[in-house]
């Protein structure tokens, strides 16, 4: 005997749905959803205030934050790569030439996503250097959308070290609602709040399980 024959199958489903429709047939229309909620909980929209807030929240999530300028960025990238002993760095398409020069200055091998790279090839790379789409100050979140200088999602999830450059204030918003208003809903969004981490039932924290173990955020000011 089949399940459908023993339980009435789709006939029971239709009877239940018919009862639901009959019960709500004369119900009033649902009121329109109000959208007048606050879109930010930050007292000031001053870029300096938002940058400070972003840094605090990123640090609270155990990311390491560096403030820099365009002129100082290449030296900083090279120093960070050398400090972590990274000798192979994934460089997504669209990364500015100055960033690529910084990788080479660190005596590291830039790796392009040609082929594309397999998971094993990405795992063999020590680091990835990327930009981002936006950063959210209130939550300490970086958002990647696969745009220029970011590449596909796997590029920033597999290598153990992620160096992410955020242009402030151009790529900085206060809140999630403000970020959503600037993002394409069909883009492959990756939301990053600190290094990848998880905890077991006894709350033992383990980092690097679902993404990079180390996150270095470079706030490019000016």
């Amino acid at each position: 005997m089949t399940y459908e024959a023993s339980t009435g199958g789709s006939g029971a489903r239709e009877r239940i749905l018919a009862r639901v429709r009959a019960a709500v047939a004369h119900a009033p229309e649902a009121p329109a959803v109000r959208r007048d909620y606050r879109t930010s909980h930050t007292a000031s929209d001053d870029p300096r205030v938002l940058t400070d807030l972003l840094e605090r929240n990123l640090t609270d999530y155990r990311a390491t934050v560096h403030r820099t300028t365009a002129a100082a960025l290449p030296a900083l990238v090279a120093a960070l790569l050398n400090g972590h002993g990274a000798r192979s760095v994934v460089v997504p398409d669209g990364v500015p030439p100055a960033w690529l020069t910084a990788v080479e200055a660190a005596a590291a091998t830039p790796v392009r996503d040609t082929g594309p790279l397999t998971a094993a090839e990405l795992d063999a790379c020590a680091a990835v250097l990327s930009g981002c789409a936006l950063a959210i100050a209130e939550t300490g979140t970086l958002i990647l959308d696969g745009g220029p200088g970011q590449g596909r999602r796997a590029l920033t999830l597999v290598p153990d070290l992620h160096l992410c450059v955020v242009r402030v204030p151009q790529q900085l918003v206060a809140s999630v609602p403000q970020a959503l208003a600037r993002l394409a809903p069909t883009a492959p969004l990756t939301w990053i709040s600190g290094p990848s981490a998880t905890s077991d039932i006894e709350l033992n924290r383990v980092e690097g399980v679902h993404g990079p173990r180390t996150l270095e955020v470079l706030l490019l000011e000016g």
Side-chain angles (χ1 to χ4, degrees):
M1 180 181 295
T2 65
Y3 179 82
E4 182 174 347
S6 63
T7 62
S10 61
R13 176 178 178 274
E14 290 304 322
R15 288 195 298 272
I16 293 172
L17 291 177
R19 292 174 182 174
V20 172
R21 294 188 190 100
V24 300
H26 302 291
E29 290 292 328
V33 178
R34 296 182 58 181
R35 302 293 185 186
D36 57 348
Y37 47 77
R38 297 174 64 180
T39 59
S40 171
H41 295 277
T42 305
S44 172
D45 59 0
D46 186 319
R48 293 170 297 182
V49 174
L50 294 181
T51 302
D52 290 342
L53 179 60
L54 175 65
E55 180 176 5
R56 288 199 301 272
N57 286 328
L58 283 168
T59 302
D60 190 51
Y61 280 128
R62 302 193 186 185
T64 304
V65 181
H66 311 267
R67 296 199 185 195
T68 186
T69 62
L73 179 65
L76 176 58
V77 170
L80 291 174
L81 293 176
N82 285 329
H84 287 284
R87 291 294 171 258
S88 57
V89 183
V90 178
V91 182
D93 291 339
V95 162
W99 302 7
L100 183 59
T101 301
V103 172
E104 295 169 343
T109 302
V111 180
R112 294 290 191 174
D113 188 29
T114 54
L117 295 170
T118 66
E121 289 171 330
L122 284 172
D123 189 48
C125 294
V128 57
L129 171 63
S130 82
C132 70
L134 289 175
I136 304 175
E138 289 181 353
T139 60
T141 302
L142 310 178
I143 305 175
L144 280 65
D145 63 0
Q150 302 169 55
R152 57 192 176 97
R153 179 173 290 150
L155 301 189
T156 52
L157 290 182
V158 178
D160 205 46
L161 168 65
H162 184 188
L163 275 63
C164 187
V165 179
V166 183
R167 292 182 172 90
V168 292
Q170 299 94 321
Q171 295 179 316
L172 180 59
V173 295
S175 65
V176 171
Q178 292 178 3
L180 292 175
R182 291 177 54 174
L183 294 167
T186 57
L189 301 178
T190 303
W191 297 58
I192 303 169
S193 295
S196 169
T198 188
S199 298
D200 60 21
I201 195 171
E202 295 180 350
L203 299 183
N204 295 313
R205 180 183 172 97
V206 179
E207 297 182 348
V209 177
H210 309 295
R213 189 187 313 272
T214 304
L215 176 62
E216 302 270 5
V217 181
L218 290 67
L219 301 182
L220 181 58
E221 299 178 292

